[in-house]
Amino acid sequence: MIELNEIIHSKPRLLIMLTLFSFEECDFNFLKNKLQFSDGVLSVHIQKLEKAGYIKVRKRFIGKKPNTSYKITDKGRKALIKYIKQMKEIFDEFKI
Amino acid sequence: MKRIKNDKLLNEVKVVDKILAEVSGFSFLDALTALSWGIWNSLAALLTICKLKINPWIIWSSMIFLGAVSNVIIVKIAFSKKGYKLFEDKIINNTWFAVIFAIIIQVFLLGGILKVYHPMYTISFASIWVGTGIFITGVAGRIFLYKIGGFIYFISSVLEVIFVKYSYHIYLVNTLIVLIGFTLVSYFLQKDSYDRT
């Protein structure tokens, strides 16, 4: 039986991971606006992904404004690829 | 078995594809990086042609330094305004820093300090590296005009060697056409944006 990664297998976290997988770096506002999540929802899911070591957080000041940006880690990249492969296996099995 | 049309992963991928399509335009800030290099290069060529009593090595070293500083500032501003950095941006930045490093070693250390070759050839060597940079930028960013621009820089470096006396003039024309002209055309036509389709 295929055991899916519980951390990635949730719509908001999967979307965050896929977005970060496609970009070199994204900041909080960009993710919030593009994925249309509230501040709270995005923060909670980002914290879970960070705790799992799947994303790296960078806090800095650009000019006088604070800026928080995110990057996917190698561990996160591998976990996402594994998840996609597992999903593909499931799709193949059910001929989707 | 009944075919499931809407599966979870496929829908999420579609959302990300939409985001990527939205951000794939050639923004003014993307254009500004090339434009700033064009302005510093043209200025250095003009100052050298005008034969001011300034050492050409100082002019060209200052150009490289100011170009690099402008580039770092523009990239920082671009990130704060856009809120994202594409993989292409990283490749392009690394390429440009490699090109600057190559120019500093070959043109300034070998040419300027060790006097390995005649100062007039400086610009031809720089053209080869800048041409390489523009071409790689074109390939990495999938920008067609940059690929042609890189090629024109190569041709220019050959012309500069043949017509050494006019090397700075040739370089100035080349810079105005490729770095400034092509960038403006790319930006206004929006034709050469990062093509992800």
Side-chain angles (χ1 to χ4, degrees):
Chain A
M1 185 182 165
I2 296 171
E3 271 190 41
L4 288 170
N5 186 324
E6 290 289 322
I7 297 162
I8 298 176
H9 195 64
S10 107
K11 185 180 174 176
R13 290 197 288 277
L14 181 57
L15 274 174
I16 295 168
M17 287 295 280
L18 283 171
T19 309
L20 292 177
F21 186 79
S22 312
F23 286 86
E24 167 62 18
E25 198 174 355
C26 295
D27 71 13
F28 188 88
N29 284 331
F30 178 80
L31 284 175
K32 192 182 88 172
N33 294 333
K34 292 295 169 191
L35 300 177
Q36 294 183 329
F37 293 157
S38 67
D39 284 18
V41 169
L42 187 58
S43 298
V44 167
H45 291 294
I46 275 176
Q47 270 176 22
K48 282 187 184 170
L49 291 170
E50 192 194 356
K51 205 175 163 190
Y54 291 170
I55 62 171
K56 203 164 74 179
V57 182
R58 180 156 78 137
K59 290 179 191 244
R60 61 182 160 169
F61 278 89
I62 297 179
K64 285 181 182 174
K65 285 183 184 171
N67 180 283
T68 309
S69 58
Y70 309 94
K71 265 178 135 173
I72 195 166
T73 60
D74 283 342
K75 189 182 171 188
R77 195 176 293 276
K78 280 175 195 162
L80 182 65
I81 291 169
K82 190 180 171 191
Y83 175 83
I84 292 169
K85 280 181 182 167
Q86 285 175 327
M87 287 296 268
K88 198 175 172 293
E89 270 178 48
I90 295 168
F91 295 158
D92 289 344
E93 201 172 316
F94 287 93
K95 293 177 183 166
I96 294 169
Chain B
M1 185 170 288
K2 195 184 169 192
R3 189 181 170 86
I4 302 165
K5 283 182 182 168
N6 283 320
D7 55 77
K8 184 183 168 75
L9 189 62
L10 219 63
N11 279 338
E12 319 305 76
V13 169
K14 275 180 190 166
V15 174
V16 177
D17 271 353
K18 208 179 142 201
I19 296 170
L20 280 169
E22 276 179 42
V23 300
S24 63
F26 191 65
S27 78
F28 180 68
L29 287 158
D30 295 323
L32 211 58
T33 318
L35 281 178
S36 88
W37 279 112
I39 291 163
W40 292 120
N41 270 283
S42 315
L43 197 68
L46 263 176
L47 287 172
T48 324
I49 291 166
C50 290
K51 287 181 182 164
L52 299 174
K53 285 178 182 171
I54 312 169
N55 187 330
W57 298 112
I58 294 173
I59 294 176
W60 289 93
S61 307
S62 313
M63 184 276 288
I64 293 280
F65 176 73
L66 290 169
V69 170
S70 310
N71 201 21
V72 169
I73 293 170
I74 293 165
V75 167
K76 271 199 164 188
I77 295 171
F79 181 78
S80 71
K81 297 272 180 207
K82 295 194 293 186
Y84 63 88
K85 203 186 277 178
L86 296 168
F87 286 109
E88 286 90 334
D89 294 334
K90 192 185 174 187
I91 298 166
I92 289 165
N93 286 335
N94 290 346
T95 305
W96 279 106
F97 277 104
V99 166
I100 293 165
F101 194 63
I103 291 175
I104 288 169
I105 289 183
Q106 192 172 358
V107 178
F108 295 99
L109 290 181
L110 291 178
I113 300 167
L114 302 174
K115 311 272 182 212
V116 174
Y117 46 77
H118 194 274
M120 290 298 265
Y121 285 114
T122 308
I123 203 70
S124 314
F125 285 112
S127 291
I128 294 170
W129 289 111
V130 176
T132 311
I134 294 173
F135 188 76
I136 295 172
T137 303
V139 172
R142 296 170 208 173
I143 307 169
F144 178 66
L145 280 175
Y146 276 38
K147 289 179 201 166
I148 301 179
F151 181 70
I152 292 177
Y153 251 86
F154 281 117
I155 302 290
S156 158
S157 63
V158 174
L159 291 174
E160 283 151 17
V161 171
I162 298 170
F163 306 104
V164 179
K165 269 192 174 179
Y166 301 102
S167 59
Y168 290 114
H169 298 77
I170 297 168
Y171 189 76
L172 178 63
V173 173
N174 177 31
T175 306
L176 290 174
I177 293 173
V178 177
L179 288 177
I180 297 179
F182 279 19
T183 309
L184 289 175
V185 169
S186 294
Y187 174 67
F188 285 114
L189 292 183
Q190 282 290 315
K191 210 176 174 180
D192 251 319
S193 56
Y194 299 126
D195 180 19
R196 290 173 177 280
T197 51

